[in-house]
Amino acid sequence: MYEVHSVYAICAFAAIGGGLFGFDISSMSGVLGTSAYTNFYDVQGGVRQGAITCAMPAGSLFGSLISSFIADKFSRKTAIQVASAIWIIGSIIQTASNGVPLLITGRIVAGIGVGVASTIVPVYQAEIAPPEIRGRVISLQQWAITWGILIQYFIQYGASFVDGGPTSPTQGTAAFRIPWGIQTIPAFILLLGLFFFPKSPRWLASQDRWEEAIRVLAHLHGGGDMNHPKVLAQYQEIEEALTFERDESKSSLKALIKPRILRRVVLGMSIQMWSQLCGINVLMYYCVYIMEAAGIGDPLLASSIQYILNVVLTLPAIFFLDKWGRRPSLLLGSLGMMILMFIVSALEATYGEPFHSTDGPLSAITWIISGQPMVSKAIVACSYLFVSIFAVTWGPTSWTYPSEIFPSQIRAKAVSLATATNWACNCVLALAVPPLLRSINWKMYMIFGAFNGAAFIHMFFTAPETKGKSLEDMDEVFDGGRPAWRAAPKESRLTVLQREIEDGNVKVKVPTQVFHFDTKPG
């Protein structure tokens, strides 16, 4: 069977799994402003809407926790295919739902698929990519998320005009069933397309399938030549790392709580936690509510600009994350988002006023900016700037960093815990934000501002720089005795080993049985 061997093509295609995450985030935001959704499900904001929204991240929490068992047993690639199939089933249930219970069921099922995909896609990408472009290709996951958000939102925006438009009291259910049905398409593409892509070479090596592992490494990094210095260097590093990990029994769950690994586990979980507590998904899930509270005339259209910015401004991170590094992204992003949250809170507190309505979507709003067009524009501008800063900094880094800092034998398990933390926070926020908007309104932004301040301090003291390091270099980065703010040696062991092999100073022996494979490029 034909197999794709371009690193960029493999990682970009796998990132469609991130697109499912984006569809999830946006699956509510566009329908919240329609009479069809509000009337059919009898949703007036508050706890019921919070329960519907948090159903998907609740399923994703479960999916992320079970993902490592699927990925370790059946391969990273197979786990992503399983995730695609689960998403399709969940989307069909949502589309056919006749009430809140079935809608919640469908969102939980789809969420399980998203949880598996969001965990394993970055692991698969990290194990495929060489160190010098690893940040770039894992950032494609975040870019795919932003595309998923944007595409789903505009599908919903277009569907909102059926049967008289979003404000028509007689609007039909096609306004939300069409977008929920369409979201099965990318999952079908991912499920079928992955049959033409290779398994992770590090997973193959962990299963002692060295012949296949070396063949995949050769096609990915040596143009099909198994004796290419880069291929031999990676083989040597992987073999040494796996031998060391097995000697220390690192494949079990107990390995996650060993002191030297626990530090990384807590850091990975913390990064995913702060990526949610910064407030970004509040703006994504409930953007329409926020725009309505700001007194914007067309909140659906104003929200779409935010999603476009999210897509466009993830691009600089894709191109430059491997140059400017992970640590500056985390620190500067937290600082910028903290300032913007406090500004929005101050504007809302100073110029806002209590508001009450029983009119469909507006019933969720209890505090509004009225008769202050400049203030409304300032709040929207801060919202746009917040999303822009997140897109350039925390968005891609929060997926890249946890997927690259763990040893191979426990990588899937550790990343599943980190991603589960993301979904746990996501779930809590999805459930809590509608009641918070109704009860404490502008004070909510102060809470998120404080979270960003805490993230800045935490990352400064605990997150070392990892750019340019091979996955097998991370023990040196984290266990070398240096504080987080002091960089490790710039040159990775993989680069040094490759140069030594090229100079003939190091000889690498590979299993002789691998040479029954075709070693010519192709």
Side-chain angles (χ1 to χ4, degrees):
M1 180 185 290
Y2 173 78
E3 196 170 79
V4 177
H5 296 123
S6 165
V7 172
Y8 282 108
I10 294 168
C11 294
F13 189 83
I16 294 175
L20 302 184
F21 188 178
F23 272 79
D24 154 36
I25 292 173
S26 197
S27 62
M28 277 286 111
S29 56
V31 300
L32 287 176
T34 65
S35 296
Y37 174 81
T38 305
N39 296 333
F40 186 80
Y41 293 108
D42 191 23
V43 174
Q44 304 295 329
V47 175
R48 175 175 285 203
Q49 179 55 53
I52 293 171
T53 305
C54 87
M56 191 168 285
S60 300
L61 171 60
F62 177 75
S64 62
L65 288 173
I66 66 171
S67 62
S68 64
F69 300 100
I70 302 172
D72 285 340
K73 184 173 181 60
F74 300 105
S75 84
R76 297 10 178 168
K77 185 179 84 166
T78 301
I80 299 170
Q81 290 179 298
V82 170
S84 303
I86 296 173
W87 170 267
I88 291 168
I89 295 169
S91 297
I92 291 172
I93 295 172
Q94 289 177 75
T95 306
S97 64
N98 59 358
V100 172
L102 197 57
L103 175 61
I104 289 177
T105 301
R107 287 180 62 78
I108 290 173
V109 173
I112 294 172
V114 172
V116 175
S118 62
T119 302
I120 302 304
V121 166
V123 172
Y124 180 63
Q125 292 170 320
E127 293 183 347
I128 289 287
E132 61 270 18
I133 63 167
R134 189 173 61 244
R136 180 180 304 172
V137 297
I138 299 177
S139 295
L140 292 173
Q141 156 94 344
Q142 176 63 20
W143 201 39
I145 292 173
T146 66
W147 272 109
I149 294 170
L150 181 66
I151 292 169
Q152 173 69 315
Y153 185 83
F154 273 115
I155 291 171
Q156 292 179 345
Y157 182 68
S160 72
F161 290 100
V162 303
D163 296 333
T167 60
S168 172
T170 60
Q171 187 181 37
T173 61
F176 56 82
R177 296 196 194 278
I178 290 173
W180 291 348
I182 289 175
Q183 67 185 12
T184 61
I185 295 174
F188 272 114
I189 295 171
L190 184 61
L191 173 63
L192 299 176
L194 278 174
F195 284 109
F196 301 97
F197 289 81
K199 289 181 169 67
S200 159
R202 285 173 171 84
W203 178 83
L204 290 168
S206 72
Q207 304 298 307
D208 289 324
R209 293 162 62 174
W210 286 102
E211 298 89 344
E212 296 171 76
I214 298 170
R215 180 172 62 113
V216 172
L217 284 172
H219 284 302
L220 290 175
H221 308 301
D225 180 7
M226 293 183 184
N227 294 304
H228 191 285
K230 191 169 187 177
V231 175
L232 295 175
Q234 289 208 39
Y235 163 78
Q236 176 94 340
E237 276 219 318
I238 293 170
E239 184 184 43
E240 289 177 357
L242 285 174
T243 300
F244 177 71
E245 291 162 18
R246 283 169 176 165
D247 289 343
E248 296 210 346
S249 301
K250 285 188 178 178
S251 61
S252 68
L253 289 172
K254 290 182 180 179
L256 295 173
I257 59 174
K258 289 187 175 182
R260 57 188 295 271
I261 298 298
L262 183 61
R263 173 194 171 192
R264 290 184 239 180
V265 172
V266 172
L267 178 58
M269 294 173 69
S270 298
I271 287 176
Q272 289 285 19
M273 176 187 73
W274 292 128
S275 75
Q276 291 301 306
L277 295 184
C278 73
I280 185 62
N281 273 357
V282 175
L283 294 177
M284 294 300 167
Y285 280 130
Y286 299 114
C287 183
V288 172
Y289 287 170
I290 292 167
M291 295 300 177
E292 286 172 340
I296 299 301
D298 189 346
L300 288 173
L301 183 59
S303 300
S304 68
I305 298 173
Q306 178 171 286
Y307 298 133
I308 293 171
L309 288 172
N310 198 21
V311 171
V312 173
L313 288 169
T314 301
L315 277 173
I318 292 175
F319 289 114
F320 299 113
L321 184 61
D322 286 312
K323 294 185 178 180
W324 65 48
R326 285 61 155 156
R327 184 174 165 84
S329 295
L330 295 172
L331 295 177
L332 294 177
S334 295
L335 188 62
M337 291 187 292
M338 177 188 71
I339 293 169
L340 289 168
M341 278 294 180
F342 284 138
I343 291 174
V344 171
S345 180
L347 291 172
E348 291 265 6
T350 305
Y351 298 100
E353 59 188 37
F355 176 79
H356 177 72
S357 174
T358 58
D359 178 24
L362 288 175
S363 63
I365 308 301
T366 61
W367 191 267
I368 195 167
I369 304 294
S370 179
Q372 300 281 349
M374 295 305 295
V375 175
S376 295
K377 290 176 182 177
I379 291 173
V380 173
C382 286
S383 174
Y384 290 164
L385 284 171
F386 184 96
V387 170
S388 299
I389 291 174
F390 180 86
V392 175
T393 59
W394 273 81
T397 309
S398 64
W399 293 109
T400 301
Y401 201 100
S403 67
E404 65 186 3
I405 63 176
F406 300 110
S408 179
Q409 290 286 81
I410 62 165
R411 185 172 297 122
K413 293 182 179 68
V415 174
S416 76
L417 288 177
T419 309
T421 305
N422 177 301
W423 286 112
C425 294
N426 196 322
C427 182
V428 171
L429 290 175
L431 183 61
V433 167
L436 284 175
L437 277 172
R438 291 174 65 89
S439 57
I440 66 172
N441 35 72
W442 60 267
K443 301 180 188 72
M444 182 185 70
Y445 300 105
M446 295 184 68
I447 295 173
F448 290 115
F451 283 151
N452 281 299
F456 176 85
I457 296 170
H458 187 189
M459 293 300 103
F460 181 83
F461 287 106
T462 62
E465 184 57 70
T466 58
K467 73 171 183 177
K469 303 298 180 185
S470 72
L471 298 180
E472 290 70 34
D473 272 335
M474 295 304 164
D475 285 346
E476 168 63 22
V477 172
F478 283 90
D479 304 329
R482 290 175 296 272
W485 56 87
R486 185 173 297 165
K490 290 186 177 181
E491 200 167 37
S492 73
R493 287 191 308 161
L494 180 64
T495 303
V496 174
L497 181 57
Q498 181 179 339
R499 186 168 58 245
E500 291 292 307
I501 293 172
E502 289 173 346
D503 293 343
N505 298 326
V506 173
K507 302 295 182 183
V508 178
K509 293 182 179 180
V510 297
T512 56
Q513 61 264 37
V514 304
F515 290 105
H516 69 267
F517 290 105
D518 179 14
T519 59
K520 295 180 180 179

